[in-house]
Amino acid sequence: MVRFLLLNGPNLNRLGMREPHIYGHTTLAQLEKQLTEFAGEYGAELTCYQSNYEGALIDQIHRAESLYDGIIFNPGAFTHYSYALRDAIASIQTPVIEVHISNIHAREPFRHQSVLAPVTAGQIVGLGVNGYRLAILALLDMVEGKGK
């Protein structure tokens, strides 16, 4: 069975409550349930993890190499300045898709730059929570050619 890790970074535990005009009304728990079911429809297992702490996310990335076939990662604000997360992603062979609910390139100037994008397999922005589903499909295509 294909196994993926869904990582969500700082403040994503506030989905559904934090700036719903930008991030929507879906809570993190609802999103994780929807994505777990979606992955299951394609024969994939999804493990979900959220942390507001950079080191905890780094630890998950390091562990992922031996446990998962791919990572879907919304790094939140860490996107724009975490060279430590960038180095963690660069240190593993597991493909990582960076996902952002909002279009970071159409927001405040400090959000336009992703220090992680150069070391990820791809980046999906601005498609709401559907971006996570697209990341699952992209990873399926990458690891087994199973995208429908």
Side-chain angles (χ1 to χ4, degrees):
M1 175 177 270
V2 176
R3 300 182 71 215
F4 296 139
L5 175 63
L6 170 62
L7 290 178
N8 278 292
N11 298 311
L12 287 154
N13 57 306
R14 303 282 302 156
L15 280 179
M17 299 169 276
R18 174 186 175 220
E19 300 174 283
H21 62 285
I22 295 173
Y23 301 107
H25 296 281
T26 303
T27 68
L28 183 60
Q30 291 168 334
L31 177 63
E32 290 175 344
K33 182 178 185 296
Q34 291 169 9
L35 294 173
T36 300
E37 291 171 358
F38 181 80
E41 291 172 15
Y42 289 85
E45 179 182 302
L46 185 69
T47 300
C48 304
Y49 182 84
Q50 186 278 328
S51 181
N52 294 315
Y53 300 98
E54 186 178 41
L57 294 167
I58 291 168
D59 289 343
Q60 289 295 317
I61 291 167
H62 290 170
R63 278 190 216 111
E65 189 165 40
S66 62
L67 298 175
Y68 300 100
D69 300 294
I71 301 171
I72 300 106
F73 188 19
N74 184 339
F78 289 141
T79 301
H80 316 295
Y81 64 89
S82 179
Y83 295 104
L85 282 169
R86 181 196 189 284
D87 290 348
I89 293 168
S91 78
I92 64 170
Q93 297 299 308
T94 308
V96 176
I97 304 276
E98 181 182 341
V99 174
H100 297 282
I101 295 168
S102 69
N103 182 350
I104 62 173
H105 306 291
R107 295 188 59 197
E108 304 92 337
F110 76 89
R111 295 187 196 275
H112 297 181
Q113 172 71 26
S114 169
V115 300
L116 308 181
V119 295
T120 64
Q123 183 188 63
I124 300 170
V125 303
L127 300 178
V129 296
N130 287 324
Y132 290 97
R133 289 181 189 85
L134 293 172
I136 290 169
L137 294 175
L139 284 172
L140 284 166
D141 281 340
M142 284 179 206
V143 301
E144 288 197 357
K146 286 191 174 184
K148 287 186 182 175

